Amino acid sequence: MSKNIFIIGSGFSALAAACYLAKSGNQVTVFEKNSTIGGRARQLKKEGFTFDIGPTWYWMPDVFERFFNDFDKKPSDYYDLIKLSPAYQVYFGIRDFVTIADNLPDIVKTFENIESGSGAVLEKFMSEAKSNYDIAIKDLVYRPGVSPLELITTETALKVGQFFSNISKEVRKRFKNQKLVQILEFPVLFLGAKPQDTPAFYSFMNFADFGLGTWHPKNGMYSVILAMEALAIELGVKIQTNANVEKIIVKQKKAVGIRVNGQEQFCEVVLSGADYHHSETLLDAEHRAYSESYWEKKTFAPSSLLFYVGFNKIIQNVEHHTLFFDVSFEKHAESIYDKPSWPEEPLFYASFPSKTDDSAAPEGQEAGIFLIPLAPGIEDTEEIREKYFNIIIERFEKLTEQSIKKSVIFKDSYCVNDFIKDYNSYKGNAYGMANTLFQTAFLRPKLKSKKVENLFFTGQLTVPGPGVPPSLISGKLVSELIQKNSTKS
């Protein structure tokens, strides 16, 4: 039965849900508070340079294919994908770096050259990781997190021990070289928690990394947002920008509409793809399913300090994606998760999309994105941002043996305060709620409101979790719940 459905926000999960719900015959309207769509995945254009403001890694291409296939489309109908070769590079010191190839056999050789015997160990580890990937990404994550029974299958019963061990333990008992350990622990950072707090089952992220490779959509990740927008419009979805939703209207314990830009508008279903905590503040207190103390106790994925920098020359000795692990990972992680504070010696990541994509920078120039993961909720000032820009640029210059600071045409920064202002993000988190053991599947905030009928949620704070592919899946899961709910009513 067709319903009039309002969706708050226009990030990956909201756009995915909009497409599925429109395909099912519903009237769907998306309300986006900012002037452009995309949520955290917006774009910055400046002086001939183009930057993805949010996600820059395109992993799990099969999830994107599955999404578009649901509409008898494929990604190539909308954007071109480039497989990065090499996938990325990791610096551990001056002239001390490891380059990760675009295929597993070459990565196995790299490991073997660094630690004798580790190549065969990696092959076995990756076989297990692929098995986990097949179980998780092809099955488990497409379940709505309604019941713990969703996790009990013939396959997961054989892997129950992996839910009670952790990535760090499993990696470290197989590999002794610290560089290899850090490279294998790195992918779970996308899940928003320390490796020692992330269940070993999540080694499927290593298969996403080494097995499926790292990709770049031509013209940036925003190409995916534009593709989803085009698909949504094809399906009849209406999208309104500069539309700030101020309240979710509830009557007789049913969501019946929203107040947007001071005007009340009515519908039959409300779905929020905005930050879950913020979405609940749009409700009167008695209609909220989760208290402030609930959110306070949860482990949130990091926030970030980002810089978008235009350089007047080509940057040397780096790849499209380059990680800088030349300082203590443990100390930096402690400042994020254990004692929230600015790290004394930050690890950081740099992306140079213009290495792959001519559209990212004018000829002979370079677009650079620099990211420092941070604890959400910490103090954020222009002075602190400038201090950390200088810290990482000086380290970058030393490690890559070149001078770049004098080649900066401009730099824009983005940090905790901006995540709060632009996305109403809880404590300015960048990636949602971490996927720890007690924040997995049915233990995450629910897709369907427990207190208000016809009110639903989607995105990184609910099922299945943080990251772009999970956000696409979240949109599909909530659309199925809405459809199921509609057939009952």
Side-chain angles (χ1 to χ4, degrees):
M1 196 167 94
S2 176
K3 298 275 188 183
N4 184 19
I5 299 173
F6 288 172
I7 299 180
I8 304 169
S10 66
F12 283 107
S13 57
L15 288 177
C19 290
Y20 284 112
L21 290 166
K23 182 189 175 188
S24 299
N26 297 289
Q27 294 175 275
V28 181
T29 307
V30 172
F31 297 86
E32 168 56 55
K33 76 183 279 284
N34 293 308
S35 59
T36 57
I37 64 163
R40 286 166 165 82
R42 293 180 302 149
Q43 198 174 56
L44 168 67
K45 287 180 176 284
K46 186 171 182 175
E47 297 182 32
F49 293 82
T50 302
F51 306 88
D52 282 313
I53 292 178
T56 54
W57 293 76
Y58 191 103
W59 273 7
M60 304 185 189
D62 52 321
V63 174
F64 295 86
E65 288 164 16
R66 185 166 172 175
F67 169 76
F68 285 105
N69 286 346
D70 283 342
F71 304 92
D72 297 319
K73 304 281 188 180
K74 49 188 184 294
S76 59
D77 292 334
Y78 298 97
Y79 56 88
D80 295 325
L81 268 184
I82 304 159
K83 191 174 189 183
L84 297 185
S85 181
Y88 57 91
Q89 183 180 50
V90 187
Y91 267 91
F92 296 96
I94 300 170
R95 298 183 191 176
D96 181 10
F97 58 84
V98 176
T99 301
I100 300 300
D102 67 347
N103 65 89
L104 185 54
D106 283 348
I107 297 170
V108 167
K109 290 176 190 172
T110 297
F111 270 54
E112 185 63 31
N113 289 337
I114 293 171
E115 180 182 318
S116 179
S118 68
V121 175
L122 178 63
E123 288 180 314
K124 185 178 178 185
F125 180 72
M126 290 304 296
S127 176
E128 294 169 8
K130 182 183 185 304
S131 170
N132 288 355
Y133 190 90
D134 289 342
I135 294 167
I137 304 304
K138 295 179 181 178
D139 182 16
L140 286 188
V141 295
Y142 285 91
R143 301 183 182 203
V146 173
S147 162
L149 296 177
E150 293 172 8
L151 294 177
I152 302 171
T153 68
T154 305
E155 292 85 358
T156 57
L158 299 172
K159 294 177 179 281
V160 67
Q162 292 190 34
F163 286 93
F164 296 97
S165 183
N166 63 68
I167 285 285
S168 184
K169 185 186 291 184
E170 294 303 312
V171 166
R172 288 166 189 263
K173 75 182 182 186
R174 290 171 170 83
F175 303 91
K176 302 306 173 195
N177 184 278
Q178 282 305 299
K179 293 175 190 173
L180 302 185
V181 166
Q182 283 190 274
I183 290 167
L184 286 167
E185 288 182 346
F186 147 69
V188 301
L189 297 180
F190 286 102
L191 301 170
K194 290 191 293 187
Q196 55 264 48
D197 292 331
T198 302
F201 182 73
Y202 283 99
S203 67
F204 64 72
M205 291 296 291
N206 294 108
F207 179 73
D209 179 1
F210 291 175
L212 299 176
T214 302
W215 301 74
H216 174 77
K218 183 146 181 62
N219 301 319
M221 288 291 287
Y222 199 65
S223 295
V224 187
I225 289 292
L226 295 178
M228 296 176 75
E229 177 191 35
L231 175 60
I233 291 169
E234 286 173 45
L235 293 163
V237 175
K238 295 175 183 174
I239 300 174
Q240 296 184 21
T241 53
N242 297 307
N244 183 37
V245 176
E246 300 150 346
K247 188 172 183 65
I248 296 171
I249 303 167
V250 177
K251 291 183 179 176
Q252 296 177 329
K253 296 186 178 180
K254 278 189 179 181
V256 296
I258 58 176
R259 188 174 71 227
V260 55
N261 294 342
Q263 299 291 315
E264 290 191 348
Q265 298 190 38
F266 295 93
C267 61
E268 292 161 286
V269 176
V270 175
L271 166 61
S272 183
D275 176 277
Y276 204 124
H277 170 268
H278 169 72
S279 301
E280 285 222 311
T281 68
L282 302 177
L283 295 162
D284 291 334
E286 67 267 25
H287 300 312
R288 297 171 193 168
Y290 303 101
S291 65
E292 284 299 317
S293 64
Y294 170 89
W295 297 110
E296 280 290 337
K297 290 172 185 172
K298 293 299 169 186
T299 300
F300 273 79
S303 184
S304 299
L305 169 57
L306 292 131
F307 295 100
Y308 311 100
V309 188
F311 294 99
N312 65 11
K313 68 174 186 180
I314 301 299
I315 306 301
Q316 305 297 321
N317 305 329
V318 290
E319 299 295 342
H320 182 130
H321 293 303
T322 306
L323 302 157
F324 294 85
F325 285 179
D326 56 306
V327 296
S328 169
F329 175 88
E330 286 76 16
K331 283 186 180 176
H332 189 140
E334 190 176 291
S335 71
I336 296 174
Y337 299 104
D338 303 327
K339 300 173 184 173
S341 57
W342 282 87
E344 287 183 25
E345 293 185 304
L347 286 83
F348 65 99
Y349 149 69
S351 174
F352 300 94
S354 40
K355 294 286 179 198
T356 303
D357 195 334
D358 292 341
S359 70
E363 188 177 352
Q365 302 185 345
E366 199 90 82
I369 302 168
F370 297 82
L371 180 151
I372 303 172
L374 298 171
I378 61 174
E379 182 185 14
D380 171 20
T381 66
E382 288 301 321
E383 292 76 19
I384 294 174
R385 295 185 190 194
E386 188 65 22
K387 172 186 171 184
Y388 276 83
F389 181 74
N390 291 326
I391 287 172
I392 63 171
I393 291 301
E394 284 171 17
R395 287 231 318 273
F396 181 95
E397 290 182 326
K398 183 178 177 183
L399 291 164
T400 64
E401 300 181 284
Q402 65 191 306
S403 174
I404 65 166
K405 196 169 184 182
K406 291 178 182 175
S407 299
V408 172
I409 302 169
F410 66 85
K411 74 172 190 297
D412 283 9
S413 64
Y414 204 93
C415 198
V416 173
N417 293 344
D418 300 299
F419 282 102
I420 294 170
K421 176 174 67 74
D422 290 346
Y423 312 129
N424 297 305
S425 169
Y426 182 70
K427 292 188 176 180
N429 79 81
Y431 306 105
M433 187 184 286
N435 259 340
T436 60
L437 177 60
F438 295 107
Q439 293 181 179
T440 293
F442 68 97
L443 296 171
R444 296 180 71 80
K446 301 299 183 189
L447 291 164
K448 185 178 187 295
S449 172
K450 294 187 284 187
K451 289 197 171 184
V452 179
E453 282 187 58
N454 300 331
L455 175 60
F456 298 83
F457 304 88
T458 187
Q460 298 190 111
L461 271 69
T462 182
V463 179
V468 176
S471 292
L472 293 181
I473 296 166
S474 185
K476 179 173 186 173
L477 293 176
V478 77
S479 69
E480 291 170 346
L481 275 187
I482 291 171
Q483 286 300 110
K484 188 177 177 182
N485 197 65
S486 295
T487 57
K488 288 179 182 176
S489 56

